[in-house]
Amino acid sequence: MVKSKGEEGLVLLLKHHKIPFHREYRFHPVRKWRFDFAIGDFPNLTKIAVEVEGGVYSQGRHTRGSGYSADLIKYNTALLDGWKVLRYTTNQISFAVIEDIKLLINRSK
């Protein structure tokens, strides 16, 4: 799968700030749901996920009815399992995302 510009930008930021992460992390034992990023080292993931939502201005999957509805089920299931999910568009990937991640990491300690 081709990774988006936003995902690649986030990889660079996470590496620069030495925040451990896993890409395409499968978080559900039955469904094939994956997060773009899970934050932390194994086995001690902090249950923080980051999703980079693509196609928000071009009627991509995440903004059309069925795709949006499926995302809601995924994110609500993750929340009920203790995950904190941060969601950003490609254009929002910046140092501010790192600050949000660090804030959640500190709250998880």
Side-chain angles (χ1 to χ4, degrees), residues 36-88:
D36 294 333
F37 298 88
I39 304 302
D41 284 323
F42 286 121
N44 300 315
L45 288 175
T46 54
K47 284 205 162 184
I48 297 169
V50 181
E51 291 280 279
V52 181
E53 308 290 1
V56 296
Y57 296 104
S58 62
Q59 297 300 309
R61 187 192 89 65
H62 298 289
T63 59
R64 291 192 312 260
S66 62
Y68 184 75
S69 293
D71 281 350
L72 293 178
I73 294 168
K74 172 184 169 180
Y75 297 137
N76 288 339
T77 301
L79 175 72
L80 292 170
D81 192 36
W83 284 91
K84 297 170 187 83
V85 182
L86 297 169
R87 298 174 64 197
Y88 302 96

